[in-house]
Amino acid sequence: SEAMRRTEQEATRMGQLVGDLLDLARLDQGRPLALGPVDLAHLATDAVADGGAVEPDRPFTLEAPASAVVVGDEAMLRQILANLVANARVHTDAGTPIAVRVRDAGTTVVLEVADQGPGMPPEVASHAFERFYRADPARTRHRGGSGLGLSIVAGIVAAHGGTVGLETAPGHGTLVRVTLPKRPPTPAAAPP
């Protein structure tokens, strides 16, 4: 029935919200990362394949070298890509192209997810990485999402000693650029 379907949707949404809140709590606590070599080119390839599986009619493109390895937490770095691709999907119409790009920049690896969607005005873009921020509460409510996706991305990037930025303007799409050091800064030793 319609009531059951809606209840299931709401339960799924709540489950996602709880998962997102747990991720943020872990980041806030500064839990140690499970560090190891992570190939961002490989993760980007997976993210594009996943996006294409969910939306076969949407044009996804990937630009990446054969490999681009950083020392990081693979599960977290995978989540960055999943969140950025999901964000681009949710905020653009079905056929809108999404590009995922990886670039080796010497001491860092740069990761970009760009869409050709409606873009954001500056007042929205300036809040994009804040927790629970929604430009249009009415719309986002029905299109899934907890309003935490980009704040989790920002937290994961910060935990890896990287930076994240946004380039967007109305009518010009949205590009999120993540820059990660190949070796994260070593955390200060705990006091004895």
Side-chain angles (χ1 to χ4, degrees):
S1 73
E2 174 67 6
M4 276 303 292
R5 189 182 67 78
R6 293 187 63 122
T7 303
E8 279 172 19
Q9 279 183 335
E10 193 60 29
T12 302
R13 225 185 344 255
M14 289 305 294
Q16 286 169 344
L17 174 60
V18 170
D20 287 349
L21 286 168
L22 283 169
D23 289 338
L24 276 171
R26 288 188 196 106
L27 289 166
D28 287 347
Q29 287 168 3
R31 291 247 186 114
L33 306 177
L35 293 178
V38 182
D39 188 342
L40 290 174
H42 178 76
L43 264 54
T45 304
D46 286 353
V48 166
D50 292 347
V54 177
E55 284 190 286
D57 297 334
R58 186 189 283 270
F60 281 93
T61 56
L62 172 67
E63 290 171 42
S67 78
V69 178
V70 299
V71 173
D73 185 313
E74 182 171 353
M76 285 189 173
L77 295 177
R78 214 173 257 287
Q79 189 169 5
I80 285 180
L81 276 153
N83 285 15
L84 291 180
V85 170
N87 212 54
R89 282 182 41 239
V90 166
H91 293 291
T92 60
D93 292 332
T96 308
I98 294 175
V100 178
R101 299 190 279 265
V102 179
R103 193 169 73 248
D104 187 319
T107 57
T108 61
V109 173
V110 179
L111 180 67
E112 293 177 346
V113 176
D115 66 60
Q116 295 174 29
M120 299 177 217
E123 63 274 14
V124 172
S126 66
H127 295 288
F129 293 101
E130 291 174 15
R131 296 180 186 189
F132 298 114
Y133 180 75
R134 285 184 172 148
D136 178 353
R139 192 187 71 162
T140 318
R141 181 92 188 104
H142 299 293
R143 298 188 65 171
S146 59
L148 291 170
L150 286 181
S151 57
I152 290 173
V153 166
I156 292 172
V157 172
H160 283 81
T163 58
V164 61
L166 191 62
E167 288 180 17
T168 184
H172 292 281
T174 299
L175 182 151
V176 180
R177 180 180 296 114
V178 170
T179 303
L180 293 167
K182 287 188 179 172
R183 302 201 68 83
T186 45

